């Protein structure tokens, strides 16, 4: 079960790649070699000389090749040849011309073993290259999140439905800005590479507009435009798998200095709130139309402000949670199960502990492999504040924004004026 994310879970992409000696395979190869040699010698002692059992040593390099490298297979082959010669000196059975058959069979088995080991190493290298590409894609699309953003403590979990996949159609991210912290969690329609591509488009739009725009409604509008642009491009390219994509999503805005959160619901499952007193409830966040439906004239949903004070926790999830089935076909009742999970934890437990309990409970409920991507984000408001930057030189990026421009967009203002003082801002309003 792949745990990824902030807080108590460590993403595999954060761990530096190191070369580790495959001790497990070396031990397995050594064990196979010893058991095979002892068995063959014992069989040779227990059978008449006509059986010529020692020739079976030629099978050992082939078995070893499945487990270890080319070099190890060659070393085992040489050791077996030396062992065969030693046995012939001690007990020349068989004798004469038949004594040559054993070395020939061991040499042939060693040659086949080396070829098998080389082929296996080439396949492993190709697989590793694919894994590296997948991890690079994950870093680009689903970037790692910090433990804290401002006064928010974060824990997240992501499990694509596709076996061995790193990314899927679920998408989420956090974006600190001069206007407060923004967060999003969504689920694109469809599966496979088209869904990943749509997720990447939406995440790119969120990271830019979430930083620049002062009004969360403008962030919502730009996400809608990004979804429409993706569908239009898919039609241009003739991508029949996802020509009219849409995405459900929850867009969150945490206003600075307020114990509140603004939520825009694009037809997504409403979040769960665990209060500072441990009580769990579902807030009133009416769902609007999903992203991508604006093309049919549907009006975008507006933000709903909810109280969100110190100690309160938000739990966001995709339908990979709510549509998880057990062996009887029953869906996972997350809204019924979460209160019991929260009660078992101390009040000061980090959000990662609640996430861990939820994921383990979900895994225990699921029958068979996951049928859909699963994403869960747990957000807790804390009394402390962790700056969204590591170096003091970056602090200017997150200073409170200047007065909003008459046009309502924060593009070409604030940080951009400081970074490019000679640039005219009169004609640089962002184009969707």
């Amino acid at each position: 079960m792949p745990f990824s994310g902030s807080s108590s879970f460590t993403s595999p992409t954060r761990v530096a790649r190191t070369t580790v000696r495959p001790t497990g395979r070396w031990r397995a190869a050594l064990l196979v070699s010893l058991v095979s040699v002892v068995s063959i010698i014992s069989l040779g002692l227990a059978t008449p000389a006509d059986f010529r059992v020692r020739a079976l040593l030629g099978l050992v390099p082939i078995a070893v090749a499945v487990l270890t490298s080319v070099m190890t297979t060659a070393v085992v082959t040489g050791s077996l040849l030396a062992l065969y010669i030693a046995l012939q000196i001690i007990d020349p059975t068989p004798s004469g011309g038949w004594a040559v058959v054993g070395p020939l069979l061991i040499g042939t088995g060693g040659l086949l073993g080396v070829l098998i080991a080389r082929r296996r190493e080439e396949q492993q290298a190709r697989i590793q290259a694919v894994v590296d590409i997948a991890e690079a894609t994950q870093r680009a699309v689903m970037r790692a999140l910090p433990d804290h953003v401002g006064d928010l403590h974060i824990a997240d979990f992501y499990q694509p439905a596709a076996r061995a996949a790193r990314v899927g159609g679920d998408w989420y991210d956090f974006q600190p800005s001069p206007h407060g912290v923004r967060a999003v969690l969504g689920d694109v329609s469809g599966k496979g590479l088209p869904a990943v591509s749509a997720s990447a488009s939406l995440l790119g739009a969120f990271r830019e507009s979430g930083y620049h725009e002062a009004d969360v409604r403008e962030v919502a509008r730009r996400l809608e435009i990004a979804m429409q642009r993706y569908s239009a491009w898919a039609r241009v390219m003739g991508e029949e798998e996802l020509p009219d994509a849409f995405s459900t999503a929850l867009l969150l805005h945490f206003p600075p200095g307020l114990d509140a959160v603004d939520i825009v619901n694009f037809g997504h499952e409403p979040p769960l709130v665990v209060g500072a007193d441990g009580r769990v409830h579902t807030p009133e966040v009416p769902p609007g139309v999903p992203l991508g439906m604006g093309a049919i004239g549907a009006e975008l949903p507006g933000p709903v402000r909810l109280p969100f004070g110190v100690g309160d926790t938000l739990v966001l999830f995709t339908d990979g949670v709510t549509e998880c089935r057990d062996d009887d076909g029953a869906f996972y009742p997350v809204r019924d199960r979460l209160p019991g999970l929260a009660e078992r934890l101390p009040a000061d437990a980090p959000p990662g502990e609640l996430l861990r309990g939820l994921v383990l409970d979900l895994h225990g409920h699921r029958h068979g492999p996951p049928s859909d991507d699963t994403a869960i984000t747990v957000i807790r408001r804390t009394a402390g504040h962790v700056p969204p930057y590591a170096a003091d030189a970056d602090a200017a990026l997150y200073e409170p924004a200047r007065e909003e421009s008459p046009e309502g967009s924060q593009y070409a203002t604030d940080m951009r004026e400081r970074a490019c003082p000679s640039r005219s801002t009169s004609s640089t309003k962002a184009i969707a």
Side-chain angles (χ1 to χ4, degrees), residues 37-54:
V37 169
V38 171
S39 300
I40 292 171
I41 293 176
S42 300
L43 185 61
L45 295 174
T47 55
D50 294 341
F51 279 86
R52 303 179 179 89
V53 177
R54 292 177 187 172

Side-chain angles (χ1 to χ4, degrees), residues 296-317:
I296 62 176
E299 185 177 352
L300 291 178
V304 175
R305 175 158 293 185
L306 302 174
F308 190 64
V310 174
D312 292 341
T313 303
L314 276 168
V315 181
L316 286 64
F317 46 86

Side-chain angles (χ1 to χ4, degrees), residues 79-129:
S79 301
L80 290 173
L81 286 172
L83 176 63
Y84 185 90
I85 294 173
L87 290 175
Q88 283 296 106
I89 294 174
I90 297 172
D91 181 17
T93 302
S95 59
W98 288 105
V100 184
V101 175
L104 287 176
L105 291 178
I106 294 174
T108 302
L111 178 60
L112 291 175
V114 167
L115 294 176
I116 292 172
R118 181 177 179 181
R119 178 65 174 173
R120 182 178 56 79
E121 288 182 345
E122 291 175 349
Q123 291 177 342
Q124 287 181 338
R126 285 194 291 268
I127 293 174
Q128 186 60 53

